[in-house]
Amino acid sequence: TRLAEGTPRRSIQLSSIVEQRVFNDDDIINTPKRSKARKSIALPVVDNVKTTEDDEEYTPKKTTQKTPSKGRRSTTKATEAPATPKTPSQKLKMIRSGEIKPTLEKRDSLAGSEKGKTDLQIARERLHVSVVPKSLPCREKEFDNIYTFLEGKIQDQCGGCMYVSGVPGTGKTATVTGVIRMLQQRVAEDDLPPFDFLEINGMRLTEPRQAYVHIYRQLTGKTVSWEHAHALLEKRFTTPAPRRVTTVLLVDELDILCNRRQDVVYNLLDWPTKSAARLVVVTIANTMDLPERLLMGKVTSRLGLTRLTFQPYTHKQLQEIVTGRLQGSEAFKGDAVQLVARKVAAVSGDARRALDICRRATEIADAAASKAAEKGSKDTQQCVNMLHVQQALNEMISSAKVQAIKNCSRLEQIFLQAVVAEVTRTGVEETSFMGVYTQIETIAAFMGAATPTPGRALRICAKLGSERLLICEHSRNDVFQKILLNVSMDDIHYALKVNNTN
Amino acid sequence: MYTTELLENRYPCRTDFIRSLYCMVSKSEENFPSAIYISGHTGTGKTAIVKDFLNIHAECENNRTVLVNCVECYTTKILYEHILEELVLGGTRCDNFKEFVEILRQAKNVEQSGFVVALDNADRLRDMDNNILPSLLRLQEFTGLNICVLLISQIPLEKYYCKTGVSEVISLYTPQYTKVETLKILSGNFENTVHMLKCRINDNCDAKVQRNQLVIVEQITQEFYNNYLNIFLSVFYKACRDVPELKITASKCFFTYMEPVLNGNVELSDVARLWRNIAVPLRSSLSQVYMRFDKVESEMLSNHNLEGNPADNSLRKLARAFELPFYGKYLLIAAFLASHNSANQDKRLFVKHHGKQRKRLQSVNAKAKVAEKMSSSLGPKSFSLDRLLAIFYAILDEKVGLTCNLLSQISTLVHLKLLGFVSGENNVMDGSARLQCTVGLEF
């Protein structure tokens, strides 16, 4: 069956779902995230009810409970005693107290083994973004930096702060978690005093104050309201206690935690200053000048000056990263990797992007190889060459706007031309529908096409607006609506000129 | 075809519309279009036809239908629950669109196979949540039911396109009735009118006269009534094509039309004299169209000879009925002067002259009339509270103290909507508030 054996069997009516939903809403008024999670899964549940009405195991409740910080969604519970059927509210209680852990559904078939795979498939697996290597290439210096900081803090048994910044995809989180793993390994070898590691991610919180709830849950496993969690954490970090171990707190996406009052950020950075806390906070964000730009003076001063900036990867580093992942594999040609590295480094220096493009290139190569095999040609060598990479780059980098304009209908193209003509005539970027319509009349007469009625032109305008080729208002203020061009005028000229010559 | 015939009899001159509606939404075995948009002017029978259509539809086949007026639904929840109540038949709770779709999906197993949702005044949908209109238009796709959404509104479909685009809609248009069609529709009202006339005679006459009159009424033919309607429409059709409105006015005027016949002054066949009799009351009631005050109108019809312009008259009556205190009146006059005279004329008008007050008022009024020709089309100008008080003291001969009563009268005038604030409602006391006089010269 889909669900664990412990879940009570019952047939469901719609009314019961509604009831429970109401009950839940009352129950967790402070945690909107949870209610959201419930709603997002309510649909498949109801669907099940409809298709197999008779006797369905029903677990809308528990799916809602624990919103795991790792983003997993709980659907069943395994640790429950099978003999005692429980009401959903009892389950809710257990989940809140952390007695039941969220688990995922198990797959029926086993995952494929390593043996039957081709070279390209193995390369594709290795190139996946989620496969983080043990030691990150090209980040040794940053690794050392963070390592010495954290090791020092843990050994000195004091608290402190560190701010790590850098554009997305430069390995910030991977390096920090790598350092933590290394430190935990040393704790296991008794080289280092033990420490607790907690992590929160600003993006996974519905509200900055939920940070307290998540931190407290990682400490104790219990889910409480944020006020309660805040009070308990405050008590824990301010009152001295013997045999307290150091706590390392990783705060990812710090800028999301900044609200107008900045009380959450302030508390998170104020606790390390308490002598009793023994808390080390490592914060990660994208912008380098975030403390000065967004945070209040008292928060910035507590954040301290221990900062570290992750520079975007150069093409050499990207090349190293990709080749490091492909060690021992013959799937990629050397110049193909170099092309990817150079293209990506020129745009953003994002390692994720480079890996994604490489993966896409392997897929294209796979398709090409299978096609060649179908034709029966002997050249079924599975290898990614320059052409495949070029195709992948075109797919992932090039803009689709020119293609979109080319594939517009005739009247839509006339409309776009009219907007361009009106912009050139008035010299102002923002045009009104009326002016554009007179231009349409002119252009349509010039091209010998029938002039569309204003209503039809409005429909065209709305369609182009919904495709984001134009930016326009609601059509309720019909001829007075403002229209902005969302593509460059050169794009339109290029697209239509090329079209005309064909 | 039973449905269409029934509807066509009930609603003459709408054959095309009814047929096309029936073609698209008829048999529940066939797939309905996902959305139909019905537009047309007021009084062209959109809602009435759809309502009857839905009723017949719900009776003769295993369909569920619902007609919702969107004005009633000030939140989306009301809209959803209203629709569900009729379609699923049960007190259901529904908070958002997702639940709405879910509940409808569950109705799939029920043997009811066709669903029709009609939304009257659909232009209100644009002001509700952004997702409503696009998702209602694709309700068939979302629910997987054989469901059709009819949107009824007065504005064309072009006013509905939102920024994210809406899906394709079939639009139906109900054109206004032509003169011939209007005549046909109004003549369908013949028996009803004659019956009402009989009732009226029974009510207020003594027995002998009654019998005579009833004999005359018996002689009224459809042709005679059509003749009357022809006369009626020749006056009214230019101003008003709203059929319900015309229907009401026509039956009212018919009593006046019949009066000389019933009194025996004019023969039934003497159309020319009847026309001469009715022409004036018709024209006077023309100005009363769309104003549904029964009593005033009947009064107006009876003594139309005495007063020339009834519309003007009614306003004057209203103004006369409006009792204001003495200073209140002067304040209002001052406000009117302040609104309609330009501020640079103030010195000449109010300061230089030291003659009698009456004279001054007249001259000011005369000036106002002259100025009105130029500025009346521009509307009243705004003025400050200080200027209002200055003019008030200038036109008022006696010197009264500036008491709080006087100031409270100003605020009372604002409350009565005789004056209006243009700007600065929050800082009345520091003098930056601008007022405007909202009554006309006749008042």
Side-chain angles (χ1 to χ4, degrees), chain A residues 419-433:
Chain A
V419 177
V420 172
E422 184 66 10
V423 170
T424 26
R425 189 180 72 84
T426 56
V428 190
E429 295 222 334
E430 194 181 70
T431 55
S432 78
F433 182 83

Side-chain angles (χ1 to χ4, degrees), chain A residues 393-404:
Chain A
L393 280 170
N394 279 343
E395 275 177 22
M396 296 187 77
I397 289 179
S398 70
S399 92
K401 278 179 180 169
V402 174
Q403 282 300 320

Side-chain angles (χ1 to χ4, degrees), chain A residues 190-210:
Chain A
D190 278 344
D191 280 354
L192 204 70
F195 67 93
D196 286 340
F197 172 62
L198 319 171
E199 65 171 331
I200 56 171
N201 189 333
M203 282 290 211
R204 293 199 185 122
L205 308 175
T206 50
E207 207 210 4
R209 283 175 182 147
Q210 289 295 312

